[in-house]
Amino acid sequence: MGYAILIFLILLILGMPVAFSIGISGLSFFLIRDLPMAVLVQKSISTTQSFTMLAIPLFILAGNLMNSTGITKKLMKLANICTGHMYGNIGQVSCLLSTLMGGVSGSAVADAAMECRILGPEMNRLGYKKGWSAAINGLSGLIVATIPPSMGLIIYGTVGEVSIGRLFMAGWVPGVLMCIFLMIATSWSAKLYGYKPEHDRPASMGEIGKAALDSIWALIFPIMLIILIRFGIMSPSESGAFACVYALIVGMFIYKELSWKGFIKTLQDSVKDITVITIILAFSGIFGYGVVFDDLTTSIATFMVGITGNSTILLIMVILFLLFCGMFMETTVIALILTPILLPVMQSVGVDPVVFGMIMMTCVTFGVMTPPVGTALYTVSDIMDCPIEETVRYGWPFYLAVIMVVVFMIFFPQAILWLPNLVYGVAT
């Protein structure tokens, strides 16, 4: 498997698309070991045939539908009313909107791009530095790494055989905490750069209540999602199908903003997004077979436990490794390849799989805003028309806020498990 990993890294450095880098390196493993090609075909197909994985394309379609139905505009209005009295209030809107949209989009890159397109012009009008605007829009998008229905959590839960319901419940504490820390960082940096509030006083409860009522169909969606999964009414995949129907009904009959032309455009965008993820899923099945065949998990676990038996130190080592991987590989790829390798190692030293899932997905999603391959970093910088160096330079308070959330999860794991244990009971 060592040769296959080396080939994968070389192809990645040479700039080959990630999906094909995985596929070619997986093929090389089969050729070197002289394994039947029939197994290669079976593994590439079987990985995409998982019923649980069906949740991913369904939630992608649901998220795109909700962006086309006016739900995003309603949520932005609510967020603006709640934060208009704060320093850098449009940056505050970005944080709050990401938290509200976490249960809708499920994708950090999609969320960051959407917010830059919607909030960017207003930020420019108010005189915010373009790098600052790009940084907060991009890093606030990381909130969707844990707020359900996170695509990363679905992949992690499926590959690692961890309860997706418990993962969804656990995601609320770090997600809300990240929102709070980012809002504090936004307020501090906005004061530093002189981005004053638009309103002199906080909105009244009546104004907030009216805006919340306008957004009620978006606000109740994640709550409905949790209830449906918790009480066994629907599986995660079935709830994804429900989300698509829900978005269509809201867009066509309640808000009446989804046109036929908009619907076709949404389908086209969803097909592009789903195709990329499906190719990566298929080829990762080949790579994953090599990991199991060579018993790489046991070798790595033995090596790492040999370095230290302290679970906290080992967890910090793994986090640094995940942050490094996130700089070069996409979130989906890391979750598919490293979950079956690292999860058994963490469990062997007593780290709860749900807590590790929260930490892992936060760290690898952090990579979408770090050079050299951060997809969200390039996306938001391009939309805001600024160099990535400027985005990184203005973004350091927000990077620090995300790191503080990771530190909290390391040292206070019971806080992460509070909601899952409350709803599902303590895991045995």
Side-chain angles (χ1 to χ4, degrees):
M1 195 62 200
Y3 289 109
I5 294 173
L6 182 61
I7 291 170
F8 169 69
L9 293 174
I10 291 171
L11 293 175
L12 207 61
I13 292 169
L14 292 175
M16 180 173 283
V18 174
F20 297 109
S21 299
I22 296 172
I24 292 172
S25 59
L27 173 63
S28 70
F29 173 78
F30 274 76
L31 293 173
I32 292 169
R33 291 304 181 89
D34 196 25
L35 296 171
M37 288 295 114
V39 177
L40 182 146
V41 176
Q42 289 170 358
K43 286 297 174 183
S44 61
I45 294 174
S46 63
T47 309
T48 63
Q49 302 305 303
S50 166
F51 181 70
T52 308
M53 286 290 192
L54 184 61
I56 294 174
L58 289 171
F59 276 121
I60 288 173
L61 175 58
N64 287 335
L65 283 170
M66 289 185 176
N67 285 339
S68 304
T69 57
I71 287 177
T72 302
K73 294 177 186 175
K74 303 286 184 183
L75 289 174
M76 187 178 74
K77 181 181 177 182
L78 171 63
N80 195 26
I81 287 174
C82 291
T83 63
H85 62 288
M86 300 179 182
Y87 279 88
N89 67 290
I90 305 300
Q92 306 284 9
V93 168
S94 180
C95 299
L96 202 54
L97 186 59
S98 288
T99 307
L100 297 172
M101 284 292 293
V104 176
S105 70
S107 166
V109 178
D111 189 75
M114 177 270 297
E115 290 190 13
C116 269
R117 290 191 181 98
I118 294 175
L119 302 177
E122 182 67 8
M123 288 175 156
N124 289 337
R125 184 186 72 80
L126 292 172
Y128 295 2
K129 296 288 185 182
K130 290 183 177 181
W132 188 89
S133 302
I136 186 56
N137 285 331
L139 283 158
S140 68
L142 305 189
I143 295 171
V144 306
T146 60
I147 297 280
S150 163
M151 299 298 105
L153 292 182
I154 293 173
I155 293 172
Y156 173 84
T158 305
V159 176
E161 297 182 356
V162 181
S163 167
I164 293 176
R166 290 184 68 85
L167 288 169
F168 277 6
M169 289 307 302
W172 286 103
V173 170
V176 171
L177 195 65
M178 192 181 298
C179 174
I180 293 170
F181 284 1
L182 283 170
M183 290 182 79
I184 293 171
T186 300
S187 182
W188 179 85
S189 59
K191 283 182 181 179
L192 184 67
Y193 298 122
Y195 304 152
K196 295 183 178 179
E198 282 194 274
H199 306 303
D200 296 330
R201 59 174 182 81
S204 67
M205 290 305 296
E207 291 173 316
I208 295 173
K210 185 175 182 297
L213 195 61
D214 286 342
S215 311
I216 191 66
W217 297 106
L219 295 175
I220 64 173
F221 170 66
I223 299 171
M224 292 171 64
L225 201 67
I226 294 296
I227 293 172
L228 290 170
I229 295 174
R230 165 63 185 91
F231 292 102
I233 300 171
M234 292 182 183
S235 67
S237 298
E238 290 165 342
S239 64
F242 165 78
C244 294
V245 176
Y246 181 88
L248 281 171
I249 292 173
V250 170
M252 294 175 67
F253 302 109
I254 298 176
Y255 291 152
K256 298 179 180 179
E257 291 192 25
L258 183 62
S259 64
W260 180 250
K261 183 179 179 181
F263 177 64
I264 296 298
K265 177 70 166 56
T266 300
L267 289 179
Q268 290 173 340
D269 292 341
S270 299
V271 167
K272 291 177 185 176
D273 295 338
I274 292 166
T275 300
V276 172
I277 290 177
T278 304
I279 292 172
I280 293 173
L281 283 172
F283 289 159
S284 69
I286 306 170
F287 198 92
Y289 179 80
V291 170
V292 175
F293 189 89
D294 275 2
D295 202 15
L296 194 61
T297 303
T298 305
S299 303
I300 292 176
T302 304
F303 171 74
M304 296 187 75
V305 173
I307 297 173
T308 176
N310 186 295
S311 60
T312 303
I313 296 175
L314 194 60
L315 184 55
I316 292 171
M317 287 170 56
V318 169
I319 287 170
L320 292 174
F321 175 64
L322 289 172
L323 289 171
F324 176 77
C325 290
M327 294 180 182
F328 299 95
M329 290 188 283
E330 294 182 16
T331 303
T332 308
V333 178
I334 299 173
L336 285 167
I337 293 176
L338 294 184
T339 297
I341 296 174
L342 297 177
L343 181 56
V345 178
M346 292 294 96
Q347 287 179 300
S348 69
V349 293
V351 177
D352 188 275
V354 172
V355 174
F356 181 64
M358 294 300 111
I359 294 173
M360 180 175 181
M361 294 321 304
T362 301
C363 289
V364 299
T365 309
F366 189 69
V368 302
M369 275 300 291
T370 53
V373 189
T375 49
L377 177 63
Y378 284 96
T379 301
V380 296
S381 298
D382 181 60
I383 294 173
M384 295 304 299
D385 192 27
C386 67
I388 60 169
E389 295 84 1
E390 183 181 337
T391 302
V392 173
R393 186 173 73 252
Y394 280 104
W396 72 264
F398 313 125
Y399 285 109
L400 184 61
V402 177
I403 291 170
M404 286 174 63
V405 175
V406 175
V407 171
F408 176 87
M409 289 191 284
I410 293 172
F411 292 103
F412 300 98
Q414 289 306 313
I416 309 303
L417 294 173
W418 173 64
L419 269 177
N421 290 344
L422 183 69
V423 174
Y424 289 92
V426 179
T428 54

